[in-house]
Amino acid sequence: MTDQTTTTVGSRAGSTGPARHGQAPSPRDLAARAPANQPPTQPAPALSPRRPGEESAAAPVTMTGAQALVAALEQLGVDVVFGIPGGAILPAYDPLFDSRTVRHILVRHEQGAGHAAAGYAQVTGRPGVCIATSGPGATNLVTPLADAYMDSVPVVAITGQVPSGLIGTDGFQEADIAGITLPVTKHNFLVTEAGDIARTVAEAFHVASTGRPGPVLVDIAKDALQASTQFRWPVPFELPGYRPVTRPHSRQVREAAKMMMAARRPVLYVGGGVIKAGASDELLTLAELTGMPLVTTLMARGAFPSSHKQNLGMPGMHGNVAAVGALQKADLLVALGARFDDRVTGRLDSFAPDAAVVHADIDPAEISKNRHAEVPIVGDCREVIIELIAAIRGEQEAGEQADLSAWWSQLDALRATYPLGYDQPGDGSLAPQYVIERIGKLAGPDAVYVAGVGQHQMWAAQFIEHEQPRHWLNSGGLGTMGYAVPAAMGAKVGAPESAVWAIDGDGCFQMTNQELATCTVEGIPVKVAIINNGNLGMVRQWQTLFYNERYSQTDLDRMEQGTSAGTRIPDFVKLAEAYGCAGLRCETAADVDKVIKQAMEINDRPVVIDFIVHRDAMVWPMVAAGTSNDDIKVARDMAPDWDVTE
Ligand SMILES: Cc1ncc(C[n+]2csc(CCOP(=O)(O)OP(=O)(O)O)c2C)c(N)n1
Ligand SMILES: [Mg+2]
């Protein structure tokens, strides 16, 4: 840095290069992306349409730091920000009031702003933006920032800070948010000079959206927002040392291609990085060229069509037997944008014991972090796959290609013997899996599905056919209850033409449902399916299996088991109506389709459906935490026979 007024506070190692998505759109695109409820507009006239980093700037314009912040957002093509004002950030809200291109959505809790920004980013590929005031406003952003960090989502958070003279004095509403978020942001900045604001915001967008995407926080002191400055655009970056590598090393790629052609039991282990890189088309080509089986992790659902015969499904703790078995029996894993998460590997020392590993990732820090890679490839997944395709074509022309038929018959036997399934409850109550399956069928592959965290999340990953990238959003890494409603709100703002379904738990829903008020007031007609089992189902499942059915603190309602007697607290239908949403309830299998269709017809306001489901349904298969994938159970005390034949 050339001056000390912008403090760069570091973070995630390694990383990265321009992502396919997430680049700031040209201001010319602004009119096309104006929010539905505002007329298309042009960016502020006096400013140059060039991107930051380009040579030569327009003549400087005198304005306040706050105006420079808003002008920078406009120049970066930001069409929406989610936030709540307060003392320290108030100067920024004044020029924001005048912006013709940046729509501000007033949320009800800053956590909602953060998840909404992430939901927006996940469906559009562009950074999502959230704004909060200093102190408690900023600390309310910590959870969504940590969430976005774990799932590599480009989010830019802008927070007001107390005036620079008060920093360090325990001033009113002072919190060291740069310090607090240091471990959960890709990068963050503290800005104390008006003249640094525009450049820092441009840098934040660049860092958030290039290389391995992630959240970036810009904390701006109130006096910097109020001071006068000269605004120029574009502004050159000052990011020494930040040069993400996107082009893979060709020798590594050739080596990987050779191994792929020689392997007898290869598996493509596909992670969320493939979606971030926009590499789904290339992945399809690679898969069909090689005929290899593939698995798509929780974060990669939709990276490759679920309906494609080469897709074995989801691996991991609640993955299906064929997908988990494929990894365990493989002689080669080709990991693409995946990070060998413990929920996928199970006990690491018994994970895929016979496999050599090719690991391609844009973040060098991921490679060999959990599992040694025989062939490490640092690069953007799309570029890696394109080069792999070329190298494999070369190998194939030279006559190289192992016969995978024995491998496929082994996997097909597992697939046929242990398909995903569920039991209908004996007491006539609704099976939660059935509800989710029907939503997936009726809403179809063009809808965007956003899950909360718990059993319903796993069933939504399992029983909805995920056919397209950026149509499945969930909190994979952090497992944040409360993610679904605000993330669905952000997704609907980013993709207004798509139906957006939040599949939420009754526990999760109670953490952030106040954003339904935002959805109603702002005209964001999301659909929320509450899978209401009356309890913290996933925790209860562990109590059933590992704590002798001692249900300590997991019941949420006051309903009597197996009856409709008792009190619904809260009554979600009444709650929905109180928020101005349509509120529906469904308690029987016979009504499921009818109620879903009814919800699909309502598009002038948000809809909430309270699906009353069986309270004891369990997610299967399951690899118990800390155990080996080899010990997967398909039902309680029931292990698969790995040696089945067709
Ligand atoms: C913020 C937060 N607190 C606690 C947990 C631990 N936890 C994981 S799943 C779960 C239960 C979720 O209940 P619900 O939303 O009703 O979903 P269900 O499992 O019943 O489908 C809990 C408490 C968490 N993941 N996140
Ligand atoms: Mg529940």
Side-chain angles (χ1 to χ4, degrees):
M1 294 289 149
T2 51
D3 64 57
Q4 298 304 311
T5 53
T6 311
T7 309
T8 296
V9 193
S11 93
R12 173 126 64 184
S15 219
T16 199
R20 306 273 113 211
H21 302 289
Q23 287 188 339
S26 107
R28 273 198 304 278
D29 299 337
L30 279 173
R33 295 200 288 96
N37 63 354
Q38 289 179 12
T41 50
Q42 294 298 322
L47 306 174
S48 157
R50 276 182 293 262
R51 290 207 175 124
E54 289 178 346
E55 287 308 306
S56 95
V61 183
T62 303
M63 57 176 76
T64 64
Q67 288 170 324
L69 167 65
V70 175
L73 294 175
E74 289 174 340
Q75 287 299 300
L76 288 158
V78 173
D79 57 4
V80 64
V81 299
F82 301 88
I84 303 186
I89 194 70
L90 211 43
Y93 271 76
D94 195 59
L96 203 51
F97 199 43
D98 294 330
S99 178
R100 288 175 294 147
T101 55
V102 183
R103 174 189 182 188
H104 181 276
I105 292 180
L106 176 62
V107 297
R108 298 299 181 267
H109 189 293
E110 289 84 357
Q111 183 183 356
H115 292 315
Y120 174 95
Q122 289 286 63
V123 297
T124 63
R126 298 191 296 269
V129 186
C130 51
I131 304 194
T133 196
S134 65
T139 55
N140 276 349
L141 286 177
V142 172
T143 296
L145 288 172
D147 188 89
Y149 184 65
M150 290 286 269
D151 286 344
S152 305
V153 182
V155 165
V156 173
I158 294 163
T159 48
Q161 181 54 278
V162 298
S164 52
L166 278 182
I167 292 176
T169 69
D170 294 338
F172 177 64
Q173 293 194 326
E174 181 186 1
D176 174 11
I177 197 63
I180 290 169
T181 61
L182 178 74
V184 295
T185 48
K186 181 175 173 185
H187 202 60
N188 66 27
F189 302 89
L190 170 62
V191 185
T192 54
E193 291 289 331
D196 292 332
I197 291 175
R199 189 197 74 241
T200 308
V201 170
E203 289 170 352
F205 275 73
H206 179 71
V207 172
S209 59
T210 53
R212 179 181 186 165
V216 177
L217 178 128
V218 184
D219 192 30
I220 310 175
K222 185 171 186 176
D223 53 326
L225 291 168
Q226 290 167 319
S228 178
T229 184
Q230 296 290 304
F231 178 84
R232 279 186 190 78
W233 198 268
V235 274
F237 294 152
E238 292 178 15
L239 292 170
Y242 182 72
R243 268 174 247 98
V245 173
T246 54
R247 285 293 306 273
H249 199 295
S250 58
R251 201 184 62 209
Q252 303 296 90
V253 171
R254 279 199 308 276
E255 183 61 28
K258 279 201 171 58
M259 289 170 76
M260 288 166 76
M261 290 299 91
R264 299 287 148 120
R265 298 187 310 282
V267 180
L268 299 171
Y269 160 25
V270 176
V274 168
I275 295 177
K276 304 278 176 355
S280 289
D281 291 348
E282 292 75 12
L283 177 63
L284 186 65
T285 305
L286 177 72
E288 294 188 341
L289 187 67
T290 58
M292 286 181 186
L294 57 81
V295 299
T296 42
T297 67
L298 181 64
M299 291 308 293
R301 304 297 279 155
F304 191 85
S306 294
S307 59
H308 194 288
K309 66 179 188 323
Q310 283 171 253
N311 193 346
L312 298 174
M314 183 169 77
M317 179 174 269
H318 293 296
N320 62 58
V321 174
V324 173
L327 294 178
Q328 290 306 99
K329 313 282 171 203
D331 65 357
L332 176 68
L333 298 183
V334 181
L336 301 167
R339 59 184 179 83
F340 293 82
D341 178 66
D342 56 271
R343 285 299 192 256
V344 167
T345 63
R347 219 179 89 187
L348 197 57
D349 61 8
S350 61
F351 174 65
D354 303 327
V357 171
V358 171
H359 191 173
D361 203 289
I362 196 151
D363 185 353
E366 280 302 340
I367 295 179
S368 295
K369 181 181 83 178
N370 292 336
R371 169 70 181 249
H372 175 72
E374 276 73 18
V375 181
I377 305 177
V378 178
D380 173 81
C381 258
R382 186 166 171 273
E383 300 203 21
V384 171
I385 295 173
I386 289 171
E387 297 210 7
L388 266 178
I389 290 168
I392 284 169
R393 286 206 170 111
E395 294 285 319
Q396 288 177 338
E397 276 157 24
E400 302 293 334
Q401 170 98 41
D403 177 7
L404 302 185
S405 54
W407 181 221
W408 267 115
S409 60
Q410 195 179 347
L411 297 172
D412 282 337
L414 286 175
R415 191 150 57 169
T417 313
Y418 303 107
L420 280 177
Y422 56 90
D423 295 328
Q424 293 294 343
D427 59 1
S429 59
L430 253 183
Q433 302 94 329
Y434 176 73
V435 172
I436 292 168
E437 195 171 54
R438 293 310 300 162
I439 293 171
K441 281 278 181 305
L442 295 174
D446 291 335
V448 173
Y449 298 95
V450 187
V453 169
Q455 293 181 312
H456 61 283
Q457 173 192 25
M458 293 298 115
W459 291 320
Q462 292 174 332
F463 291 103
I464 292 171
E465 297 256 289
H466 300 283
E467 298 291 298
Q468 303 180 59
R470 301 199 178 281
H471 284 65
W472 162 247
L473 279 55
N474 81 134
S475 169
L478 198 65
T480 309
M481 288 174 72
Y483 172 85
V485 170
M489 171 171 77
K492 182 70 180 168
V493 172
E497 68 294 345
S498 302
V500 176
W501 279 85
I503 312 272
D504 213 1
D506 47 330
C508 293
F509 181 72
Q510 292 186 64
M511 292 204 175
T512 50
N513 65 57
Q514 70 277 12
E515 298 312 336
L516 286 173
T518 314
C519 289
T520 300
V521 170
E522 294 278 344
I524 306 167
V526 296
K527 304 189 195 305
V528 182
I530 305 173
I531 308 301
N532 185 355
N533 53 10
N535 56 63
L536 300 169
M538 185 58 95
V539 181
R540 185 180 165 92
Q541 172 163 346
W542 287 40
Q543 290 174 330
T544 301
L545 296 173
F546 313 120
Y547 293 88
N548 273 328
E549 302 181 16
R550 285 164 50 80
Y551 298 117
S552 174
Q553 308 301 321
T554 43
D555 261 356
L556 289 168
D557 67 11
R558 291 219 201 130
M559 300 300 292
E560 285 168 31
Q561 176 104 29
T563 75
S564 52
T567 322
R568 301 198 181 286
I569 298 177
D571 181 323
F572 291 128
V573 172
K574 287 187 188 157
L575 186 68
E577 286 167 355
Y579 281 135
C581 309
L584 308 172
R585 177 165 291 132
C586 177
E587 305 195 46
T588 63
D591 286 341
V592 168
D593 280 20
K594 194 180 73 194
V595 175
I596 295 170
K597 285 179 188 158
Q598 205 180 335
M600 288 169 68
E601 302 281 291
I602 302 170
N603 288 308
D604 61 346
R605 65 210 138 119
V607 189
V608 176
I609 314 176
D610 186 19
F611 286 103
I612 309 297
V613 301
H614 186 59
R615 56 192 306 132
D616 273 320
M618 290 215 239
V619 185
W620 297 109
M622 182 172 188
V623 179
T627 69
S628 166
N629 281 348
D630 292 332
D631 298 326
I632 188 171
K633 300 287 187 296
V634 290
R636 199 165 183 181
D637 301 326
M638 198 196 285
D641 170 6
W642 293 114
D643 299 322
V644 287
T645 49
E646 272 185 295

